[in-house]
Amino acid sequence: MVQAKTWVLKQHFEGFPKHTDFELKLEQLSEPRDGEVLLEAVFLSVDPYMRLFLYFEYRVIQSNSPSFPVGCHVVGRCGWRTHTVSNGSDITKILDDWPQDVSLSHALGAIGMPGLTALYGLEEVCAIKSGETLLVNAAAGAVGSVAGQIAKLKGCKVVGSAGSDDKVAYLKELGFDQAFNYKTVPSLEEALKNASPEGYDCYFENVGGPFSSVAIPQMKTFGRIAVCGGISLYNDTTPQTGPYPHLQMIFKQLKMEGFLVGRWEHKNVESLKRMLTWVQEGKLKCKEHVTVGFENMPAAFMGMLRGENIGKAIVKV
């Protein structure tokens, strides 16, 4: 019988999460039954959307299922746990031909759900085209950094906003045409205008709040906005209020669409193979912020919400 360590939520977050909101417990797992597998955590993901969804990378260490042989690696929504028993309905095998020289941790990042989010936000929601200008905020994060790189691969001009000078330097390393620190610019409006005086065709939205209120008026006519996240809103105890973008959206005939990555799940295998090829060719770079130790999950999660990571934040168990 395997003993699992598991982090549980003692109480719902009120404002920004606190260490006291979490509790580490031990759980005795039963032997896997027919069709079940025993999983051992390898890498755990920390992301803003963890208030809703949890994705982790596991190795199968015991199996009664022909679909998941011992030794294979899977991604699943199994919670903050070192081990878990699964019937297979909540896990997905990592690509069979995953190359040995590419870390499996990237299955939680650029070659996983964050990467797919970036890809589908650009291709399916924005329908971005070569020669267009893209604005990305939270651009040094797991999704934003991939979105910017994909847009460059498609022949676009890319402007990125991030929250530190180190992050801005990283965006320039990735090939962003313009990047700025939104915390230190005298005026966000002027920074956006200077970066792209002609305006923006597409806007990959990860932040929301006041940033969005300043960015939307700088969209071009028929501009498209992919609403991926709103990290500036997640820890509010009192909902933020306007200004409101309705007149700008009407007179510029803008399209603003929220989306969840699962809408295009039927395309995932082909899409992941495309992105894996870009990584192998050096066209897509994957920076990780690694925290070691399962006991550090809450600290890693809160650090990510404070913007301490550049690239994908993960925990190595």
Side-chain angles (χ1 to χ4, degrees):
M1 185 173 289
V2 172
Q3 187 177 71
K5 295 179 183 177
T6 177
W7 282 104
V8 298
L9 193 63
K10 278 177 63 177
Q11 56 197 19
H12 288 290
F13 304 136
E14 293 184 10
F16 195 88
K18 306 178 294 296
H19 282 283
T20 52
D21 294 331
F22 305 94
E23 183 178 2
L24 182 61
K25 290 188 172 184
L26 297 177
E27 179 182 338
Q28 298 292 333
L29 300 181
S30 59
E31 289 291 315
R33 294 174 295 185
D34 228 21
E36 293 185 333
V37 293
L38 175 62
L39 307 175
E40 180 179 63
V42 181
F43 295 102
L44 304 174
S45 177
V46 285
D47 300 276
Y49 51 78
M50 276 191 160
R51 290 169 177 265
L52 298 175
F53 304 108
L54 305 169
Y55 284 92
F56 307 111
E57 194 247 303
Y58 292 88
R59 177 174 55 243
V60 177
I61 60 173
Q62 191 175 339
S63 177
N64 289 322
S65 168
S67 301
F68 302 100
V70 170
C72 76
H73 289 257
V74 301
V75 174
R77 302 182 191 178
C78 304
W80 290 9
R81 314 169 56 84
T82 57
H83 298 81
T84 192
V85 173
S86 170
N87 63 8
S89 63
D90 55 353
I91 58 177
T92 303
K93 280 183 70 175
I94 290 174
L95 294 173
D96 289 330
D97 52 354
W98 191 278
Q100 291 188 348
D101 60 344
V102 177
S103 173
L104 284 164
S105 60
H106 293 316
L108 297 177
I111 318 172
M113 195 272 288
L116 292 172
T117 301
L119 183 71
Y120 296 148
L122 293 176
E123 292 189 346
E124 304 294 337
V125 180
C126 286
I128 199 165
K129 298 183 287 291
S130 178
E132 292 188 319
T133 300
L134 171 71
L135 171 63
V136 188
N137 52 17
V143 175
S145 61
V146 176
Q149 291 182 81
I150 292 175
K152 289 301 299 177
L153 288 174
K154 291 179 176 291
C156 299
K157 175 182 176 180
V158 179
V159 175
S161 167
S164 75
D165 292 342
D166 287 342
K167 292 180 179 181
V168 169
Y170 174 59
L171 297 181
K172 291 178 178 178
E173 287 177 21
L174 294 180
F176 280 55
D177 297 279
Q178 299 286 335
F180 62 87
N181 182 346
Y182 74 91
K183 292 182 179 178
T184 58
V185 292
S187 162
L188 177 58
E189 181 179 5
E190 288 304 312
L192 290 171
K193 286 180 178 178
N194 291 337
S196 183
E198 69 280 6
Y200 299 90
D201 300 283
C202 296
Y203 171 22
F204 200 104
E205 168 70 287
N206 293 307
V207 174
F211 191 107
S212 186
S213 298
V214 176
I216 288 175
Q218 299 195 44
M219 298 296 295
K220 296 181 183 180
T221 301
F222 301 116
R224 292 91 69 202
I225 303 167
V227 183
C228 171
I231 196 169
S232 71
L233 312 172
Y234 295 159
N235 298 306
D236 288 349
T237 53
T238 302
Q240 297 180 29
T241 57
Y244 303 101
H246 299 73
L247 292 180
Q248 293 284 347
M249 296 191 69
I250 293 168
F251 290 111
K252 291 192 174 184
Q253 302 181 72
L254 303 178
K255 173 188 173 184
M256 186 175 188
E257 181 178 348
F259 70 100
L260 295 174
V261 67
R263 192 195 312 180
W264 301 280
E265 187 174 3
H266 60 286
K267 295 187 175 186
N268 282 2
V269 172
E270 180 272 332
S271 298
L272 290 171
K273 287 181 177 179
R274 267 202 293 159
M275 299 182 77
L276 180 57
T277 298
W278 288 337
V279 170
Q280 290 181 292
E281 293 174 347
K283 296 177 180 177
L284 180 61
K285 296 179 174 61
C286 314
K287 193 176 183 69
E288 294 179 322
H289 181 98
V290 182
T291 301
V292 178
F294 180 76
E295 67 279 4
N296 293 317
M297 282 293 295
F301 176 60
M302 290 183 283
M304 174 274 307
L305 289 176
R306 283 191 290 265
E308 294 175 0
N309 59 295
I310 297 179
K312 180 72 187 77
I314 63 169
V315 174
K316 184 177 181 181
V317 177

